[in-house]
PDB file of all heavy atoms in Angstrom:
ATOM      1  N   SER T   1       6.130   0.670  -4.790  1.00 90.00           N
ATOM      2  CA  SER T   1       6.210   0.459  -3.348  1.00 90.00           C
ATOM      3  C   SER T   1       6.907   1.638  -2.663  1.00 90.00           C
ATOM      4  O   SER T   1       6.434   2.153  -1.644  1.00 90.00           O
ATOM      5  CB  SER T   1       6.973  -0.830  -3.040  1.00 90.00           C
ATOM      6  OG  SER T   1       6.307  -1.951  -3.568  1.00 90.00           O
ATOM      7  N   THR T   2       8.024   2.072  -3.243  1.00 89.00           N
ATOM      8  CA  THR T   2       8.790   3.171  -2.641  1.00 89.00           C
ATOM      9  C   THR T   2       7.980   4.459  -2.595  1.00 89.00           C
ATOM     10  O   THR T   2       7.919   5.134  -1.558  1.00 89.00           O
ATOM     11  CB  THR T   2      10.088   3.406  -3.430  1.00 89.00           C
ATOM     12  OG1 THR T   2      10.848   2.201  -3.458  1.00 89.00           O
ATOM     13  CG2 THR T   2      10.930   4.494  -2.775  1.00 89.00           C
ATOM     14  N   GLU T   3       7.364   4.803  -3.718  1.00 89.00           N
ATOM     15  CA  GLU T   3       6.609   6.055  -3.790  1.00 89.00           C
ATOM     16  C   GLU T   3       5.401   6.032  -2.861  1.00 89.00           C
ATOM     17  O   GLU T   3       5.136   7.008  -2.136  1.00 89.00           O
ATOM     18  CB  GLU T   3       6.164   6.311  -5.231  1.00 89.00           C
ATOM     19  CG  GLU T   3       5.346   7.580  -5.421  1.00 89.00           C
ATOM     20  CD  GLU T   3       6.093   8.853  -5.064  1.00 89.00           C
ATOM     21  OE1 GLU T   3       7.337   8.859  -5.127  1.00 89.00           O
ATOM     22  OE2 GLU T   3       5.414   9.849  -4.712  1.00 89.00           O
ATOM     23  N   MET T   4       4.662   4.941  -2.852  1.00 90.00           N
ATOM     24  CA  MET T   4       3.461   4.872  -2.029  1.00 90.00           C
ATOM     25  C   MET T   4       3.804   4.846  -0.542  1.00 90.00           C
ATOM     26  O   MET T   4       3.117   5.477   0.273  1.00 90.00           O
ATOM     27  CB  MET T   4       2.630   3.641  -2.407  1.00 90.00           C
ATOM     28  CG  MET T   4       1.963   3.739  -3.768  1.00 90.00           C
ATOM     29  SD  MET T   4       0.951   5.243  -3.935  1.00 90.00           S
ATOM     30  CE  MET T   4      -0.238   5.022  -2.604  1.00 90.00           C
ATOM     31  N   ILE T   5       4.861   4.137  -0.175  1.00 88.00           N
ATOM     32  CA  ILE T   5       5.266   4.099   1.239  1.00 88.00           C
ATOM     33  C   ILE T   5       5.703   5.483   1.697  1.00 88.00           C
ATOM     34  O   ILE T   5       5.389   5.914   2.816  1.00 88.00           O
ATOM     35  CB  ILE T   5       6.374   3.049   1.455  1.00 88.00           C
ATOM     36  CG1 ILE T   5       5.767   1.647   1.361  1.00 88.00           C
ATOM     37  CG2 ILE T   5       7.055   3.239   2.813  1.00 88.00           C
ATOM     38  CD1 ILE T   5       6.771   0.542   1.270  1.00 88.00           C
ATOM     39  N   HIS T   6       6.413   6.201   0.833  1.00 85.00           N
ATOM     40  CA  HIS T   6       6.827   7.566   1.163  1.00 85.00           C
ATOM     41  C   HIS T   6       5.599   8.435   1.456  1.00 85.00           C
ATOM     42  O   HIS T   6       5.568   9.185   2.438  1.00 85.00           O
ATOM     43  CB  HIS T   6       7.633   8.154   0.007  1.00 85.00           C
ATOM     44  CG  HIS T   6       8.091   9.555   0.236  1.00 85.00           C
ATOM     45  ND1 HIS T   6       8.994   9.889   1.224  1.00 85.00           N
ATOM     46  CD2 HIS T   6       7.768  10.724  -0.381  1.00 85.00           C
ATOM     47  CE1 HIS T   6       9.205  11.202   1.208  1.00 85.00           C
ATOM     48  NE2 HIS T   6       8.473  11.724   0.245  1.00 85.00           N
ATOM     49  N   ARG T   7       4.577   8.306   0.642  1.00 85.00           N
ATOM     50  CA  ARG T   7       3.356   9.097   0.836  1.00 85.00           C
ATOM     51  C   ARG T   7       2.591   8.641   2.079  1.00 85.00           C
ATOM     52  O   ARG T   7       2.098   9.462   2.861  1.00 85.00           O
ATOM     53  CB  ARG T   7       2.460   8.997  -0.395  1.00 85.00           C
ATOM     54  CG  ARG T   7       3.002   9.742  -1.605  1.00 85.00           C
ATOM     55  CD  ARG T   7       2.111   9.572  -2.815  1.00 85.00           C
ATOM     56  NE  ARG T   7       2.597  10.344  -3.941  1.00 85.00           N
ATOM     57  CZ  ARG T   7       2.273  11.607  -4.181  1.00 85.00           C
ATOM     58  NH1 ARG T   7       1.459  12.248  -3.355  1.00 85.00           N
ATOM     59  NH2 ARG T   7       2.745  12.247  -5.225  1.00 85.00           N
ATOM     60  N   ILE T   8       2.493   7.330   2.273  1.00 85.00           N
ATOM     61  CA  ILE T   8       1.768   6.804   3.429  1.00 85.00           C
ATOM     62  C   ILE T   8       2.438   7.233   4.728  1.00 85.00           C
ATOM     63  O   ILE T   8       1.774   7.666   5.680  1.00 85.00           O
ATOM     64  CB  ILE T   8       1.679   5.259   3.359  1.00 85.00           C
ATOM     65  CG1 ILE T   8       0.755   4.832   2.218  1.00 85.00           C
ATOM     66  CG2 ILE T   8       1.184   4.678   4.683  1.00 85.00           C
ATOM     67  CD1 ILE T   8       0.821   3.346   1.900  1.00 85.00           C
ATOM     68  N   MET T   9       3.779   7.147   4.768  1.00 81.00           N
ATOM     69  CA  MET T   9       4.501   7.479   5.997  1.00 81.00           C
ATOM     70  C   MET T   9       4.487   8.969   6.290  1.00 81.00           C
ATOM     71  O   MET T   9       4.663   9.387   7.439  1.00 81.00           O
ATOM     72  CB  MET T   9       5.944   6.972   5.906  1.00 81.00           C
ATOM     73  CG  MET T   9       6.062   5.469   5.762  1.00 81.00           C
ATOM     74  SD  MET T   9       5.268   4.558   7.100  1.00 81.00           S
ATOM     75  CE  MET T   9       6.358   4.976   8.463  1.00 81.00           C
ATOM     76  N   ASN T  10       4.292   9.788   5.271  1.00 77.00           N
ATOM     77  CA  ASN T  10       4.233  11.238   5.480  1.00 77.00           C
ATOM     78  C   ASN T  10       2.812  11.723   5.752  1.00 77.00           C
ATOM     79  O   ASN T  10       2.600  12.899   6.052  1.00 77.00           O
ATOM     80  CB  ASN T  10       4.802  11.980   4.265  1.00 77.00           C
ATOM     81  CG  ASN T  10       6.307  11.875   4.200  1.00 77.00           C
ATOM     82  OD1 ASN T  10       6.972  11.701   5.210  1.00 77.00           O
ATOM     83  ND2 ASN T  10       6.857  11.970   3.006  1.00 77.00           N
ATOM     84  N   ASP T  11       1.857  10.824   5.649  1.00 74.00           N
ATOM     85  CA  ASP T  11       0.466  11.177   5.953  1.00 74.00           C
ATOM     86  C   ASP T  11       0.307  11.253   7.465  1.00 74.00           C
ATOM     87  O   ASP T  11       0.642  10.317   8.180  1.00 74.00           O
ATOM     88  CB  ASP T  11      -0.470  10.105   5.377  1.00 74.00           C
ATOM     89  CG  ASP T  11      -1.934  10.522   5.419  1.00 74.00           C
ATOM     90  OD1 ASP T  11      -2.310  11.262   6.345  1.00 74.00           O
ATOM     91  OD2 ASP T  11      -2.691  10.109   4.532  1.00 74.00           O
ATOM     92  N   LYS T  12      -0.204  12.363   7.962  1.00 63.00           N
ATOM     93  CA  LYS T  12      -0.318  12.574   9.406  1.00 63.00           C
ATOM     94  C   LYS T  12      -1.460  11.780  10.030  1.00 63.00           C
ATOM     95  O   LYS T  12      -1.541  11.659  11.245  1.00 63.00           O
ATOM     96  CB  LYS T  12      -0.506  14.071   9.705  1.00 63.00           C
ATOM     97  CG  LYS T  12       0.614  14.951   9.166  1.00 63.00           C
ATOM     98  CD  LYS T  12       1.977  14.511   9.671  1.00 63.00           C
ATOM     99  CE  LYS T  12       3.096  15.384   9.118  1.00 63.00           C
ATOM    100  NZ  LYS T  12       4.433  14.907   9.524  1.00 63.00           N
ATOM    101  N   GLU T  13      -2.354  11.259   9.215  1.00 65.00           N
ATOM    102  CA  GLU T  13      -3.456  10.462   9.741  1.00 65.00           C
ATOM    103  C   GLU T  13      -2.990   9.027   9.915  1.00 65.00           C
ATOM    104  O   GLU T  13      -3.190   8.166   9.065  1.00 65.00           O
ATOM    105  CB  GLU T  13      -4.657  10.531   8.806  1.00 65.00           C
ATOM    106  CG  GLU T  13      -5.226  11.942   8.647  1.00 65.00           C
ATOM    107  CD  GLU T  13      -6.440  11.955   7.741  1.00 65.00           C
ATOM    108  OE1 GLU T  13      -7.270  11.034   7.862  1.00 65.00           O
ATOM    109  OE2 GLU T  13      -6.544  12.876   6.918  1.00 65.00           O
ATOM    110  N   GLY T  14      -2.318   8.768  11.023  1.00 59.00           N
ATOM    111  CA  GLY T  14      -1.659   7.489  11.260  1.00 59.00           C
ATOM    112  C   GLY T  14      -2.568   6.290  11.285  1.00 59.00           C
ATOM    113  O   GLY T  14      -2.132   5.162  11.062  1.00 59.00           O
ATOM    114  N   ASP T  15      -3.864   6.492  11.561  1.00 70.00           N
ATOM    115  CA  ASP T  15      -4.774   5.360  11.641  1.00 70.00           C
ATOM    116  C   ASP T  15      -4.990   4.696  10.279  1.00 70.00           C
ATOM    117  O   ASP T  15      -5.478   3.572  10.191  1.00 70.00           O
ATOM    118  CB  ASP T  15      -6.123   5.803  12.221  1.00 70.00           C
ATOM    119  CG  ASP T  15      -6.792   6.883  11.381  1.00 70.00           C
ATOM    120  OD1 ASP T  15      -6.080   7.786  10.918  1.00 70.00           O
ATOM    121  OD2 ASP T  15      -8.020   6.816  11.204  1.00 70.00           O
ATOM    122  N   LYS T  16      -4.608   5.383   9.192  1.00 82.00           N
ATOM    123  CA  LYS T  16      -4.785   4.824   7.846  1.00 82.00           C
ATOM    124  C   LYS T  16      -3.584   3.993   7.407  1.00 82.00           C
ATOM    125  O   LYS T  16      -3.666   3.283   6.410  1.00 82.00           O
ATOM    126  CB  LYS T  16      -4.989   5.948   6.827  1.00 82.00           C
ATOM    127  CG  LYS T  16      -6.254   6.760   7.024  1.00 82.00           C
ATOM    128  CD  LYS T  16      -6.574   7.602   5.796  1.00 82.00           C
ATOM    129  CE  LYS T  16      -5.468   8.558   5.443  1.00 82.00           C
ATOM    130  NZ  LYS T  16      -5.817   9.449   4.323  1.00 82.00           N
ATOM    131  N   GLU T  17      -2.483   4.079   8.129  1.00 84.00           N
ATOM    132  CA  GLU T  17      -1.215   3.493   7.668  1.00 84.00           C
ATOM    133  C   GLU T  17      -1.330   2.010   7.366  1.00 84.00           C
ATOM    134  O   GLU T  17      -1.007   1.566   6.263  1.00 84.00           O
ATOM    135  CB  GLU T  17      -0.126   3.733   8.713  1.00 84.00           C
ATOM    136  CG  GLU T  17       1.223   3.139   8.349  1.00 84.00           C
ATOM    137  CD  GLU T  17       2.240   3.339   9.446  1.00 84.00           C
ATOM    138  OE1 GLU T  17       2.439   4.494   9.876  1.00 84.00           O
ATOM    139  OE2 GLU T  17       2.847   2.341   9.877  1.00 84.00           O
ATOM    140  N   GLU T  18      -1.784   1.220   8.340  1.00 86.00           N
ATOM    141  CA  GLU T  18      -1.821  -0.226   8.161  1.00 86.00           C
ATOM    142  C   GLU T  18      -2.794  -0.619   7.054  1.00 86.00           C
ATOM    143  O   GLU T  18      -2.520  -1.511   6.257  1.00 86.00           O
ATOM    144  CB  GLU T  18      -2.207  -0.894   9.485  1.00 86.00           C
ATOM    145  CG  GLU T  18      -2.085  -2.412   9.469  1.00 86.00           C
ATOM    146  CD  GLU T  18      -0.660  -2.885   9.186  1.00 86.00           C
ATOM    147  OE1 GLU T  18       0.302  -2.206   9.572  1.00 86.00           O
ATOM    148  OE2 GLU T  18      -0.530  -3.952   8.537  1.00 86.00           O
ATOM    149  N   ARG T  19      -3.939   0.051   7.004  1.00 88.00           N
ATOM    150  CA  ARG T  19      -4.931  -0.253   5.971  1.00 88.00           C
ATOM    151  C   ARG T  19      -4.382   0.022   4.579  1.00 88.00           C
ATOM    152  O   ARG T  19      -4.574  -0.768   3.648  1.00 88.00           O
ATOM    153  CB  ARG T  19      -6.188   0.589   6.218  1.00 88.00           C
ATOM    154  CG  ARG T  19      -7.255   0.436   5.161  1.00 88.00           C
ATOM    155  CD  ARG T  19      -8.573   1.006   5.650  1.00 88.00           C
ATOM    156  NE  ARG T  19      -8.454   2.378   6.120  1.00 88.00           N
ATOM    157  CZ  ARG T  19      -8.500   3.451   5.321  1.00 88.00           C
ATOM    158  NH1 ARG T  19      -8.653   3.290   4.023  1.00 88.00           N
ATOM    159  NH2 ARG T  19      -8.415   4.662   5.817  1.00 88.00           N
ATOM    160  N   LEU T  20      -3.662   1.139   4.426  1.00 89.00           N
ATOM    161  CA  LEU T  20      -3.102   1.490   3.127  1.00 89.00           C
ATOM    162  C   LEU T  20      -1.964   0.555   2.725  1.00 89.00           C
ATOM    163  O   LEU T  20      -1.811   0.215   1.551  1.00 89.00           O
ATOM    164  CB  LEU T  20      -2.605   2.938   3.152  1.00 89.00           C
ATOM    165  CG  LEU T  20      -3.700   4.010   3.225  1.00 89.00           C
ATOM    166  CD1 LEU T  20      -3.089   5.392   3.420  1.00 89.00           C
ATOM    167  CD2 LEU T  20      -4.561   3.981   1.974  1.00 89.00           C
ATOM    168  N   LEU T  21      -1.175   0.120   3.698  1.00 89.00           N
ATOM    169  CA  LEU T  21      -0.090  -0.823   3.398  1.00 89.00           C
ATOM    170  C   LEU T  21      -0.653  -2.157   2.915  1.00 89.00           C
ATOM    171  O   LEU T  21      -0.141  -2.755   1.971  1.00 89.00           O
ATOM    172  CB  LEU T  21       0.795  -1.027   4.630  1.00 89.00           C
ATOM    173  CG  LEU T  21       1.698   0.138   5.024  1.00 89.00           C
ATOM    174  CD1 LEU T  21       2.383  -0.147   6.348  1.00 89.00           C
ATOM    175  CD2 LEU T  21       2.751   0.415   3.945  1.00 89.00           C
ATOM    176  N   ARG T  22      -1.725  -2.621   3.555  1.00 90.00           N
ATOM    177  CA  ARG T  22      -2.361  -3.883   3.113  1.00 90.00           C
ATOM    178  C   ARG T  22      -2.955  -3.733   1.721  1.00 90.00           C
ATOM    179  O   ARG T  22      -2.878  -4.652   0.900  1.00 90.00           O
ATOM    180  CB  ARG T  22      -3.441  -4.305   4.121  1.00 90.00           C
ATOM    181  CG  ARG T  22      -2.905  -4.855   5.425  1.00 90.00           C
ATOM    182  CD  ARG T  22      -3.977  -5.636   6.168  1.00 90.00           C
ATOM    183  NE  ARG T  22      -5.145  -4.821   6.442  1.00 90.00           N
ATOM    184  CZ  ARG T  22      -5.320  -4.109   7.553  1.00 90.00           C
ATOM    185  NH1 ARG T  22      -4.373  -4.125   8.491  1.00 90.00           N
ATOM    186  NH2 ARG T  22      -6.424  -3.400   7.735  1.00 90.00           N
ATOM    187  N   GLU T  23      -3.544  -2.577   1.458  1.00 92.00           N
ATOM    188  CA  GLU T  23      -4.113  -2.333   0.138  1.00 92.00           C
ATOM    189  C   GLU T  23      -3.026  -2.311  -0.927  1.00 92.00           C
ATOM    190  O   GLU T  23      -3.206  -2.839  -2.032  1.00 92.00           O
ATOM    191  CB  GLU T  23      -4.872  -1.006   0.141  1.00 92.00           C
ATOM    192  CG  GLU T  23      -5.746  -0.771  -1.077  1.00 92.00           C
ATOM    193  CD  GLU T  23      -6.931  -1.711  -1.145  1.00 92.00           C
ATOM    194  OE1 GLU T  23      -7.301  -2.296  -0.110  1.00 92.00           O
ATOM    195  OE2 GLU T  23      -7.488  -1.875  -2.255  1.00 92.00           O
ATOM    196  N   LEU T  24      -1.885  -1.723  -0.582  1.00 93.00           N
ATOM    197  CA  LEU T  24      -0.749  -1.694  -1.506  1.00 93.00           C
ATOM    198  C   LEU T  24      -0.273  -3.106  -1.819  1.00 93.00           C
ATOM    199  O   LEU T  24       0.010  -3.440  -2.980  1.00 93.00           O
ATOM    200  CB  LEU T  24       0.391  -0.865  -0.900  1.00 93.00           C
ATOM    201  CG  LEU T  24       1.698  -0.787  -1.698  1.00 93.00           C
ATOM    202  CD1 LEU T  24       1.456  -0.174  -3.076  1.00 93.00           C
ATOM    203  CD2 LEU T  24       2.747   0.026  -0.928  1.00 93.00           C
ATOM    204  N   GLU T  25      -0.206  -3.950  -0.807  1.00 92.00           N
ATOM    205  CA  GLU T  25       0.174  -5.357  -1.017  1.00 92.00           C
ATOM    206  C   GLU T  25      -0.790  -6.040  -1.991  1.00 92.00           C
ATOM    207  O   GLU T  25      -0.357  -6.740  -2.913  1.00 92.00           O
ATOM    208  CB  GLU T  25       0.154  -6.108   0.324  1.00 92.00           C
ATOM    209  CG  GLU T  25       1.258  -5.729   1.281  1.00 92.00           C
ATOM    210  CD  GLU T  25       1.100  -6.441   2.622  1.00 92.00           C
ATOM    211  OE1 GLU T  25       0.356  -7.445   2.676  1.00 92.00           O
ATOM    212  OE2 GLU T  25       1.701  -5.992   3.605  1.00 92.00           O
ATOM    213  N   ASP T  26      -2.091  -5.832  -1.783  1.00 92.00           N
ATOM    214  CA  ASP T  26      -3.096  -6.474  -2.634  1.00 92.00           C
ATOM    215  C   ASP T  26      -2.995  -5.991  -4.087  1.00 92.00           C
ATOM    216  O   ASP T  26      -3.109  -6.792  -5.025  1.00 92.00           O
ATOM    217  CB  ASP T  26      -4.496  -6.184  -2.099  1.00 92.00           C
ATOM    218  CG  ASP T  26      -4.789  -6.906  -0.793  1.00 92.00           C
ATOM    219  OD1 ASP T  26      -4.054  -7.860  -0.476  1.00 92.00           O
ATOM    220  OD2 ASP T  26      -5.735  -6.504  -0.098  1.00 92.00           O
ATOM    221  N   ILE T  27      -2.780  -4.707  -4.269  1.00 93.00           N
ATOM    222  CA  ILE T  27      -2.681  -4.139  -5.621  1.00 93.00           C
ATOM    223  C   ILE T  27      -1.484  -4.726  -6.368  1.00 93.00           C
ATOM    224  O   ILE T  27      -1.591  -5.138  -7.529  1.00 93.00           O
ATOM    225  CB  ILE T  27      -2.575  -2.602  -5.559  1.00 93.00           C
ATOM    226  CG1 ILE T  27      -3.915  -2.000  -5.107  1.00 93.00           C
ATOM    227  CG2 ILE T  27      -2.157  -2.024  -6.910  1.00 93.00           C
ATOM    228  CD1 ILE T  27      -3.841  -0.535  -4.775  1.00 93.00           C
ATOM    229  N   ILE T  28      -0.346  -4.788  -5.690  1.00 93.00           N
ATOM    230  CA  ILE T  28       0.870  -5.293  -6.327  1.00 93.00           C
ATOM    231  C   ILE T  28       0.741  -6.786  -6.625  1.00 93.00           C
ATOM    232  O   ILE T  28       1.136  -7.257  -7.701  1.00 93.00           O
ATOM    233  CB  ILE T  28       2.101  -5.008  -5.455  1.00 93.00           C
ATOM    234  CG1 ILE T  28       2.383  -3.505  -5.440  1.00 93.00           C
ATOM    235  CG2 ILE T  28       3.332  -5.767  -5.976  1.00 93.00           C
ATOM    236  CD1 ILE T  28       3.491  -3.080  -4.519  1.00 93.00           C
ATOM    237  N   CYS T  29       0.173  -7.541  -5.695  1.00 92.00           N
ATOM    238  CA  CYS T  29      -0.003  -8.979  -5.932  1.00 92.00           C
ATOM    239  C   CYS T  29      -0.961  -9.233  -7.089  1.00 92.00           C
ATOM    240  O   CYS T  29      -0.744 -10.145  -7.890  1.00 92.00           O
ATOM    241  CB  CYS T  29      -0.517  -9.659  -4.655  1.00 92.00           C
ATOM    242  SG  CYS T  29       0.750  -9.847  -3.373  1.00 92.00           S
ATOM    243  N   SER T  30      -1.999  -8.405  -7.198  1.00 91.00           N
ATOM    244  CA  SER T  30      -2.941  -8.552  -8.321  1.00 91.00           C
ATOM    245  C   SER T  30      -2.258  -8.254  -9.648  1.00 91.00           C
ATOM    246  O   SER T  30      -2.556  -8.887 -10.671  1.00 91.00           O
ATOM    247  CB  SER T  30      -4.130  -7.598  -8.133  1.00 91.00           C
ATOM    248  OG  SER T  30      -4.879  -7.960  -7.004  1.00 91.00           O
ATOM    249  N   TYR T  31      -1.352  -7.293  -9.644  1.00 91.00           N
ATOM    250  CA  TYR T  31      -0.605  -6.952 -10.865  1.00 91.00           C
ATOM    251  C   TYR T  31       0.381  -8.054 -11.226  1.00 91.00           C
ATOM    252  O   TYR T  31       0.494  -8.448 -12.404  1.00 91.00           O
ATOM    253  CB  TYR T  31       0.136  -5.620 -10.666  1.00 91.00           C
ATOM    254  CG  TYR T  31       1.274  -5.409 -11.615  1.00 91.00           C
ATOM    255  CD1 TYR T  31       1.057  -5.120 -12.968  1.00 91.00           C
ATOM    256  CD2 TYR T  31       2.608  -5.498 -11.186  1.00 91.00           C
ATOM    257  CE1 TYR T  31       2.099  -4.944 -13.850  1.00 91.00           C
ATOM    258  CE2 TYR T  31       3.669  -5.307 -12.057  1.00 91.00           C
ATOM    259  CZ  TYR T  31       3.417  -5.029 -13.383  1.00 91.00           C
ATOM    260  OH  TYR T  31       4.465  -4.860 -14.252  1.00 91.00           O
ATOM    261  N   LEU T  32       1.072  -8.590 -10.234  1.00 91.00           N
ATOM    262  CA  LEU T  32       2.168  -9.527 -10.510  1.00 91.00           C
ATOM    263  C   LEU T  32       1.712 -10.955 -10.784  1.00 91.00           C
ATOM    264  O   LEU T  32       2.196 -11.585 -11.733  1.00 91.00           O
ATOM    265  CB  LEU T  32       3.109  -9.562  -9.297  1.00 91.00           C
ATOM    266  CG  LEU T  32       4.232  -8.533  -9.188  1.00 91.00           C
ATOM    267  CD1 LEU T  32       5.021  -8.777  -7.913  1.00 91.00           C
ATOM    268  CD2 LEU T  32       5.147  -8.584 -10.400  1.00 91.00           C
ATOM    269  N   PHE T  33       0.805 -11.470  -9.973  1.00 90.00           N
ATOM    270  CA  PHE T  33       0.574 -12.906  -9.948  1.00 90.00           C
ATOM    271  C   PHE T  33      -0.733 -13.327 -10.623  1.00 90.00           C
ATOM    272  O   PHE T  33      -1.710 -12.590 -10.631  1.00 90.00           O
ATOM    273  CB  PHE T  33       0.587 -13.414  -8.489  1.00 90.00           C
ATOM    274  CG  PHE T  33       1.866 -13.138  -7.771  1.00 90.00           C
ATOM    275  CD1 PHE T  33       1.912 -12.286  -6.684  1.00 90.00           C
ATOM    276  CD2 PHE T  33       3.062 -13.717  -8.206  1.00 90.00           C
ATOM    277  CE1 PHE T  33       3.097 -12.033  -6.010  1.00 90.00           C
ATOM    278  CE2 PHE T  33       4.249 -13.470  -7.549  1.00 90.00           C
ATOM    279  CZ  PHE T  33       4.280 -12.617  -6.447  1.00 90.00           C
ATOM    280  N   ILE T  34      -0.714 -14.552 -11.150  1.00 86.00           N
ATOM    281  CA  ILE T  34      -1.918 -15.125 -11.753  1.00 86.00           C
ATOM    282  C   ILE T  34      -2.955 -15.374 -10.668  1.00 86.00           C
ATOM    283  O   ILE T  34      -2.619 -15.556  -9.490  1.00 86.00           O
ATOM    284  CB  ILE T  34      -1.594 -16.442 -12.482  1.00 86.00           C
ATOM    285  CG1 ILE T  34      -0.975 -17.466 -11.496  1.00 86.00           C
ATOM    286  CG2 ILE T  34      -0.681 -16.212 -13.673  1.00 86.00           C
ATOM    287  CD1 ILE T  34      -0.724 -18.816 -12.088  1.00 86.00           C
ATOM    288  N   ASP T  35      -4.201 -15.393 -11.047  1.00 73.00           N
ATOM    289  CA  ASP T  35      -5.296 -15.647 -10.119  1.00 73.00           C
ATOM    290  C   ASP T  35      -5.565 -17.148 -10.065  1.00 73.00           C
ATOM    291  O   ASP T  35      -5.983 -17.755 -11.048  1.00 73.00           O
ATOM    292  CB  ASP T  35      -6.545 -14.898 -10.566  1.00 73.00           C
ATOM    293  CG  ASP T  35      -7.695 -15.018  -9.573  1.00 73.00           C
ATOM    294  OD1 ASP T  35      -7.480 -15.640  -8.501  1.00 73.00           O
ATOM    295  OD2 ASP T  35      -8.782 -14.495  -9.851  1.00 73.00           O
ATOM    296  N   VAL T  36      -5.302 -17.740  -8.910  1.00 54.00           N
ATOM    297  CA  VAL T  36      -5.494 -19.198  -8.764  1.00 54.00           C
ATOM    298  C   VAL T  36      -6.679 -19.503  -7.871  1.00 54.00           C
ATOM    299  O   VAL T  36      -6.854 -20.633  -7.432  1.00 54.00           O
ATOM    300  CB  VAL T  36      -4.217 -19.872  -8.215  1.00 54.00           C
ATOM    301  CG1 VAL T  36      -3.096 -19.742  -9.202  1.00 54.00           C
ATOM    302  CG2 VAL T  36      -3.844 -19.264  -6.868  1.00 54.00           C
TER     303      VAL T  36
END
């Protein structure tokens, strides 16, 4: 989370920020939690 947020926030293409943050959430949840 820390590394990806650092990269996302330093990306000058601000229109990608929210989309990338949501994608990061999905990736981490897929790694952590069982599929119900």
Side-chain angles (χ1 to χ4, degrees):
S1 298
T2 303
E3 179 62 25
M4 290 306 300
I5 287 168
H6 179 65
R7 289 178 177 272
I8 291 169
M9 298 303 291
N10 286 334
D11 191 329
K12 302 304 179 184
E13 298 182 41
D15 59 319
K16 296 195 301 185
E17 179 183 306
E18 188 60 32
R19 176 166 53 84
L20 290 173
L21 288 173
R22 286 198 302 269
E23 192 68 19
L24 177 60
E25 289 176 18
D26 290 343
I27 290 169
I28 291 175
C29 286
S30 295
Y31 160 73
L32 274 180
F33 301 115
I34 59 175
D35 185 3
V36 295

